[in-house]
Amino acid sequence: MRAYQTLTVEMSGRVAIVTFRRADQLNAMNRLMQGEITEAFEALSQDASVGAIVVTGEGRGFMAGADIKEYAAQTGPEFDTFQTAGTRMYAAIENNRKPVIAAVNGFALGGGMELVLCCDIVIANQFAKLGLPEIKLGLIPGGGGTQRSVARLGRNRANLLLMTGAIVPASEFVAAGLVNEIVDVERLLPRALELAEMIAAEPAAAIEGLKALTAHAVSGDLADGLAMERDILGDLYRSEIGQRRVREFAERSTTKAKKAGQ
């Protein structure tokens, strides 16, 4: 994995840890960072040694949206190019073959919250805050925030967030299903790594299949999803790992039943 200027990628066993490294800017995303995020996640998606990905930010921010100073200086064509590149960046996370766990350590605003919306599991500390405040600039989200927030939160919750630009404690998103857990500051990365290691220890084909299926359940129709589920399950059942684990489970059950009958 090559060295980046705005982030780092470190390996812990089969878990890749992506850390945004613009702490002095609350990890606000400029064009360089956008490109590096895309490159890093696309590479991780194809890396067979990676079983899961944890993404977090350095300092007090997970990601405080776009770098407004750079944003303000863009020409119209540069703005359009930035938005198009953003579509690819978010897709590199949402469509990544590997599960992506967000460890939200501070502000996740604008593009930062849009990135969280692309992740598969979200862990946050008690000080983390999320929001889509683009309306305060007379704008709207451009990285999928209007669409993914409705999918994850429901239309009315999304409307309240989008139309007021409110910045909300992460704890308020637990009941909505976006945030899985709130943990103490010192437990944030360890807990995210614990979950990532648990997932990475399972057969890659099964985990990747589950990610594809749950994504399809949100956006696709039921009949297609059920057919996809049957196909993936059939392949897994016939695989060496599937056959071995099923056989071992059956043997343990038989042994347990015999002992119970003695």
Side-chain angles (χ1 to χ4, degrees), residues 20 37 55 62-63 90 93 111-119:
F20 305 134
I37 292 171
V55 58
F62 176 80
M63 179 188 285
Y90 292 115
I93 298 166
M113 180 166 180
E114 289 178 306
L115 194 150
V116 170
L117 288 167
C118 292
C119 294

Side-chain angles (χ1 to χ4, degrees), residues 30-45:
N30 58 13
R31 280 175 287 187
L32 174 61
M33 188 176 186
Q34 183 189 68
E36 291 190 336
I37 292 171
T38 303
E39 182 180 338
F41 275 90
E42 288 182 347
L44 291 171
S45 186

Side-chain angles (χ1 to χ4, degrees), residues 16 27 37 62 81 87-88 101 118 136 140 147 151 173 175 199 224 243 255:
N27 298 314
I37 292 171
F62 176 80
T81 297
T87 299
R88 178 179 171 184
I101 300 174
C118 292
K136 299 300 185 182
I140 64 170
Q147 303 304 295
F173 291 98
I199 291 167
D224 283 348
Q243 286 287 299
T255 301

Side-chain angles (χ1 to χ4, degrees), residues 151-182:
R152 294 296 189 96
L153 302 172
R155 186 181 176 207
N156 286 12
R157 284 195 188 100
N159 274 336
L160 185 62
L161 202 64
L162 292 161
M163 294 179 183
T164 65
I167 296 172
V168 181
S171 57
E172 295 192 18
F173 291 98
V174 174
L178 174 62
V179 175
N180 295 85
E181 296 178 19
I182 302 293

Side-chain angles (χ1 to χ4, degrees), residues 41-129:
F41 275 90
E42 288 182 347
L44 291 171
S45 186
Q46 300 303 316
D47 190 337
S49 70
V50 175
I53 303 167
V54 171
V55 58
T56 192
E58 183 180 51
R60 296 186 301 111
F62 176 80
M63 179 188 285
D67 186 327
I68 297 299
K69 294 190 293 294
E70 184 182 272
Y71 207 65
Q74 290 177 341
T75 64
E78 287 172 340
F79 174 81
D80 293 340
T81 297
F82 183 77
Q83 295 304 312
T84 300
T87 299
R88 178 179 171 184
M89 182 197 76
Y90 292 115
I93 298 166
E94 185 173 51
N95 301 331
N96 203 286
R97 293 173 60 192
K98 315 302 165 67
V100 181
I101 300 174
V104 185
N105 55 301
F107 290 105
L109 306 178
M113 180 166 180
E114 289 178 306
L115 194 150
V116 170
L117 288 167
C118 292
C119 294
D120 302 294
I121 295 171
V122 180
I123 310 298
N125 70 30
Q126 69 267 44
F127 302 116
K129 293 185 177 183

